[in-house]
Structures are given as C-alpha cells and as structure tokens.
Amino acid sequence: MIGVLGGMGPLATIDLMQKIIIMLTRAATDQEHIPVVAYSDPTIPDRRAALFDPSQQSPLPKMIAGLKGLERSGAEYIVIACNTAHHWIPILTDATKLPILHIADAVCAALSIRARPGTKVGILATNATLFSGFYDTRLRQHGFIPVRLTHEEISTLEQSAIALVKRGEIEAARPFVRDAVNALHSKGIEVVILACTELPLAIPRDVSRSMTYIDATECLAQSAINWYRDRRSLLSSQTNVADASRGRR
C-alpha cells in the first residue's frame, strides 16, 4: 500500500491522488486499482516560514506524526505531496521504518528520458525549495543545468500563483504561471520543472502545448505506481515459487 503524506496543501494532495488513481492507472474494476492511504493534515506549520526563520514553529513534529499514522494504517512506501517538505527528508527518513521516495529523484528519472545531459532546465518552485537546493544538486548529478528566475520574478510570479491556488483561486493563478514560464522561455529555456505541487493545478493549456514541462507531482505519482507494480510482481513470483516448492513435496 502506498502512503501519501499530505495536507501541504490539501488541493495538491488531491491532485497527487487523482494522478495515481485516475490519470496514470488503467483499471477496469475496483480490484485493479492501487491501494493508497492518505494522511492529509493542513495544520502542519508553514514549511517556508520554518526554513527561513528558526524561531517559527517547525513542521517536523506533525509530519512525523503523519508518518506514524501511515505506518499504523498499513502503508509500505511513502510519497510526500509537497516539494518544500523534502528539505527535511533526512530527518523524516530516520523517523520511519518505511522507504520515502524523494520527489526530485522522481523528476530526474523522468527528465532523463525526455532531455539530454547538458540541457538547461528551468525550475519553478517556492523560494524555500530553491533555497534548500535539492533540485539543483540532483539535476547537476544527472548532467542537467538548473536555471531559476530572478528573486523579483519568483516573488511576483511564482509566489503569487502558489498563494492563489492555496486559496482555491486557480483561474486567477493561471496568468502568473504563464508569465513565469514565458520568463524562463525568454532565457532560452525549453524544459521547465513545475517543482511546487500547487503549480500543475494552474498550468494554462496553451503553455502545456507549447513547451516541454515536467510536472513533479505526476513524476511522483508515476514512481509510486512503478513501485507498487514492481512490489506486486515480486510478491507474485515469490508466491509461485513457494507453491511450486510445496507441490514438489
């Protein structure tokens, strides 16, 4: 069973669930769908505030409580529906017995199929995710060149779009996302990572047709599905071997 640590924010959690259940899974019956359990706690303290100001309330205690809740619910593998929360992955990994998939690893796996090493890749993310640097590190490890908007563009375009989505004003957020993508395009960027789980919800349709963009949430969902299928295949093989062994006896 896949466990989703969410609530950061709630719409982003729903988007991840929809991508696992509807967009990326072909199923004709209930039984063909993938088992998922979600822990969505919107009261988890703001990740950006905590990262930039140590005096702010840490999100860690509630995120760890969420992991424990997922463990008790039968989850065997964890995905987190928030890019910025991955800054605390080392601590979260130590706090649970379950493996946690890093969203930037899922993105780099998808990007390696769609772009060549040496490609300049634009990152649209919160200033906290960019400050953490885990995307830059992983992209460079895979041979890509990360590119960001200016600090002013991040504040006026990306942060505005994210704030609007969190308020449920998705249509109002679309122009900001379009302008952010166009700003990267003007820098010669042809591939853009939507590295905040709110941004895919507000990507304008004309942008999705005109540029190559990587939806980090979709990459995370696909990697979770791949884990489930690999796990199911392994367990099925082990069962067949055990049945054959008992038959020989």
Side-chain angles (χ1 to χ4, degrees), residues 13-80:
T13 304
I14 292 171
D15 184 43
L16 176 61
M17 295 286 287
Q18 285 183 325
K19 282 166 177 165
I20 293 174
I21 296 169
I22 300 173
M23 289 180 58
L24 301 175
T25 300
R26 292 185 178 181
T29 66
D30 291 346
Q31 292 72 29
E32 292 177 359
H33 278 285
I34 293 173
V36 181
V37 57
Y39 185 101
S40 184
D41 182 3
T43 69
I44 294 174
D46 187 274
R47 281 67 59 199
R48 289 172 292 172
L51 199 154
F52 287 119
D53 184 356
S55 69
Q56 296 294 315
Q57 187 177 3
S58 171
L60 272 170
K62 287 204 169 187
M63 286 197 289
I64 291 172
L67 291 177
K68 298 302 181 184
L70 290 169
E71 286 180 2
R72 292 191 297 271
S73 298
E76 299 170 83
Y77 190 67
I78 302 295
V79 290
I80 304 175

Side-chain angles (χ1 to χ4, degrees), residues 73-171:
S73 298
E76 299 170 83
Y77 190 67
I78 302 295
V79 290
I80 304 175
C82 172
N83 280 265
T84 306
H86 287 72
H87 171 78
W88 289 275
I89 280 284
I91 299 174
L92 294 174
T93 299
D94 287 342
T96 180
K97 61 184 180 183
L98 304 178
I100 304 175
L101 172 63
H102 199 297
I103 194 168
D105 289 335
V107 167
C108 287
L111 190 59
S112 295
I113 298 172
R114 301 176 64 179
R116 292 175 297 179
T119 299
K120 292 182 179 180
V121 179
I123 309 173
L124 293 182
T126 65
N127 50 9
T129 294
L130 295 171
F131 176 79
S132 182
F134 56 76
Y135 268 107
D136 285 4
T137 298
R138 284 167 170 79
L139 286 169
R140 291 193 178 102
Q141 288 173 346
H142 284 78
F144 299 108
I145 303 169
V147 179
R148 309 175 178 186
L149 294 178
T150 65
H151 179 74
E152 182 179 358
E153 289 168 330
I154 292 169
S155 297
T156 59
L157 299 177
E158 295 179 58
Q159 295 299 144
S160 296
I162 293 164
L164 285 166
V165 172
K166 284 185 178 293
R167 293 202 296 267
E169 300 176 28
I170 294 175
E171 290 305 317

